[in-house]
Amino acid sequence: MNNIIQVRNLSVRLSGTPILEDISFEAAAGEYVSIIGPNGAGKTTLIKCLSGIYSNWTGSISIEGNDSKNLSHRDIARLQSYVPQAEGRMNPLTVEELVATGRYPHLSAFTTMTKGDFSAIDDALERTGIQPFRKRRLNSLSGGERQMAFIAAALAQDTKILLLDEPSTFLDYKHQAEVSSILKSACRDHGRTIIAVHHDINMAAACSNKVIALKAGSIIFSGTAQEATDTTTLKKIYDTNFISAFTSAHPLPLIITGGDT
Ligand SMILES: Nc1ncnc2c1ncn2[C@@H]1O[C@H](COP(=O)(O)OP(=O)(O)OP(=O)(O)O)[C@@H](O)[C@H]1O
C-alpha cells in the first residue's frame, strides 16, 4: 500500500520528561487512522509532532516520501491541515475569515485569492452547515459551532492529509454524525488520509481503517476497528471494564463502560 505518512522510532521529551517513546506506524492514502488512549498518554503530542508544531523530536516522520525536517511550514501546510483541540481557541476572526486562512498556504506573497479559493471557502462552509454563521465572530459562537468552523477551515485548506485532535468534542449527536460522515467521505471518496484523536471508541471504530492506542507514551495496540472493539483489549488500554453490545443495525459491537471483568 502507498504510505503517505511514515513514522519511525519517534521519541519526544517535553521539559526534560519523556512523553513519546519509539513510536512507529504508517498511514496509507485514503486511510482513516484513529489515535485513542487514556488522558495524558501522548495523543496530542503525537499530532503536534506530525503537524510540525513540535520539532524537537528524534526518529523520523516522512510525509509523501519527504523527510518532514526538510519541509518548510508552508510545505507542510500544503500537505496537511490541522484541527487542534477545541480548548483555548478564542479567536477574534469571523467564521469566514478563519475559513479563508485555510487558503493561505496556497497563495504566494504576490497573489490574491482567486475564484477557486472563494469557491473552496464557500464549499467548506456549505459542507459543514455553518454558512449562516459566516459573518459571526468565532468568540460569539457556541462550542459546537466554533468546532465546525475549524473543521471547515481544514476542509478549505484542501490537503491530502487531515490531522484532527478530538474533532467531535462539543458536538451534539447530529453534528457528530455529520462530522463523521464528512470525514469518512473525505477518505473514501476523495482519497484523503485522516489521523484523528478520539476519546469515543464507537466513533473511532465507526470511522477508522486502523486504530492505534497510546498508553504512557508508547503504542500499546495497533489493529483494525473490529479488533479495537474487543473488551479485553480496551481494558488493557484504559484500565477499566467495558461491555460490548451487538445489534443487527451496526456492523461493529457498541461499546459502553461497565461490567465486572
Ligand atoms: N510542555 C510540556 N511540558 C511537560 N509536559 C508536558 C507538556 N505538554 C504536555 N505534557 C505532558 O505530556 C503528557 C502527554 O500529554 P498529551 O496532551 O499529549 O496527552 P493526551 O493523550 O493528548 O491527553 P488528553 O487525552 O488528556 O488530551 C501529559 O502527561 C502532559 O502533562
Side-chain angles (χ1 to χ4, degrees), residues 21-261:
E21 297 257 30
D22 207 24
I23 303 293
S24 296
F25 72 94
E26 49 282 314
E31 201 166 34
Y32 193 125
V33 180
S34 283
I35 312 289
I36 62 167
N39 292 133
K43 304 178 295 298
T44 294
T45 305
L46 174 58
I47 294 282
K48 286 183 175 173
C49 292
L50 295 173
S51 69
I53 291 174
Y54 289 153
S55 54
N56 57 339
W57 39 264
T58 58
S60 71
I61 299 175
S62 157
I63 307 172
E64 238 194 354
N66 304 291
D67 180 341
S68 76
K69 294 232 165 168
N70 296 331
L71 296 173
S72 67
H73 282 295
R74 176 186 283 265
D75 292 334
I76 291 179
R78 283 180 176 154
L79 286 168
Q80 297 185 149
S81 47
Y82 166 55
V83 179
Q85 250 180 30
E87 53 177 353
R89 283 205 240 132
M90 276 307 158
N91 193 311
L93 299 179
T94 65
V95 169
E96 192 176 66
E97 287 164 345
L98 174 80
V99 178
T101 63
R103 301 305 304 160
Y104 291 177
H106 303 287
L107 305 177
S108 77
F110 306 106
T111 56
T112 51
M113 284 214 263
T114 62
K115 250 175 133 175
D117 294 311
F118 287 114
S119 100
I121 294 164
D122 287 341
D123 184 50
L125 289 166
E126 225 25 270
R127 279 164 73 193
T128 49
I130 53 166
Q131 177 77 14
F133 307 117
R134 65 185 298 157
K135 300 288 179 199
R136 293 258 304 273
R137 291 205 180 278
L138 291 165
N139 54 20
S140 76
L141 300 180
S142 76
E145 291 160 353
R146 199 156 46 238
Q147 184 89 339
M148 291 305 255
F150 278 89
I151 290 169
L155 294 177
Q157 204 169 324
D158 195 20
T159 52
K160 290 186 178 173
I161 301 162
L162 286 98
L163 306 172
L164 302 121
D165 198 345
E166 299 181 34
S168 53
T169 315
F170 291 127
L171 299 182
D172 62 29
Y173 292 109
K174 175 168 173 270
H175 287 99
Q176 280 181 31
E178 280 173 10
V179 164
S180 141
S181 150
I182 290 168
L183 297 180
K184 280 195 281 187
S185 157
C187 294
R188 190 188 51 232
D189 307 326
H190 304 282
R192 307 299 192 225
T193 301
I194 290 182
I195 301 186
V197 172
H198 284 293
H199 275 300
D200 180 346
I201 183 66
N202 291 310
M203 180 153 180
C207 291
S208 310
N209 309 99
K210 185 190 283 181
V211 177
I212 291 170
L214 290 181
K215 188 171 186 182
S218 299
I219 293 183
I220 183 178
F221 164 86
S222 174
T224 62
Q226 175 87 49
E227 288 161 350
T229 54
D230 175 66
T231 52
T232 310
T233 300
L234 288 169
K235 182 168 185 176
K236 277 188 198 141
I237 298 169
Y238 290 102
D239 293 321
T240 192
N241 296 323
F242 290 86
I243 299 167
S244 58
F246 292 85
T247 151
S248 59
H250 202 264
L252 292 169
L254 296 174
I255 303 297
I256 53 170
T257 50
D260 297 330
T261 55

